[in-house]
Amino acid sequence: MKTFKILPVLILTLLCFTAQAQSKMNKIPQDGVVVVEFNAGWNSSKNVTWLNKLKEAEVGRLLIDENPKFQSKYKIVVVPTLIVFKDGVEIQRFQANIMMDMEATLEDVQEGVDDAHMEGF
């Protein structure tokens, strides 16, 4: 009988942990250079796999189906979308094509990160 009481708690804990792990951010950091991938859980097969290879930038992923306020706030019209922020201000945006494939490369986004670091000099 105890198994039936523990099982729902374990399932609920697992679901909460999985949702938290998929959505890496719940707000955009306001300091430094940050690259955020806006995507949706139903589009996870199109995640940008090289995001963590970016240098000199904090990176994160926001799922707009779990955080709908970010979709409207940042005017996300296609997923995935990558946005480079510097001190909370959008510097550059990269959007997927009509097939929801990200055409921007690691080099393209790294150039955006480098430009963000140079801005203001």
Side-chain angles (χ1 to χ4, degrees):
M1 195 68 168
K2 289 183 180 180
T3 305
F4 291 115
K5 291 180 181 178
I6 295 173
L7 188 59
V9 172
L10 289 175
I11 291 171
L12 182 60
T13 302
L14 180 62
L15 289 173
C16 290
F17 177 76
T18 302
Q20 190 176 31
Q22 287 179 348
S23 185
K24 304 288 186 197
M25 307 181 102
N26 58 13
K27 66 177 187 167
I28 306 298
Q30 300 298 303
D31 295 324
V33 177
V34 180
V35 178
V36 179
E37 176 187 5
F38 294 85
N39 207 342
W42 50 263
N43 194 45
S44 62
S45 66
K46 303 285 186 158
N47 282 348
V48 178
T49 57
W50 43 260
L51 193 63
N52 289 326
K53 293 181 181 179
L54 290 168
K55 296 180 175 137
E56 298 184 30
E58 185 177 339
V59 297
R61 177 174 288 126
L62 276 166
L63 300 177
I64 60 171
D65 49 348
E66 292 179 10
N67 301 287
K69 65 181 180 184
F70 290 107
Q71 181 178 8
S72 59
K73 181 175 181 176
Y74 295 104
K75 298 175 177 57
I76 305 301
V77 295
V78 63
V79 289
T81 293
L82 297 175
I83 300 181
V84 179
F85 294 92
K86 182 176 182 185
D87 300 329
V89 177
E90 181 177 332
I91 301 298
Q92 195 165 9
R93 177 180 294 238
F94 302 90
Q95 295 179 316
N97 62 23
I98 195 164
M99 299 299 292
M100 291 188 258
D101 292 320
M102 179 57 65
E103 292 181 342
T105 65
L106 171 63
E107 292 76 20
D108 296 331
V109 180
Q110 185 64 59
E111 186 176 324
V113 168
D114 296 343
D115 291 346
H117 280 291
M118 294 303 293
E119 188 173 278
F121 280 107

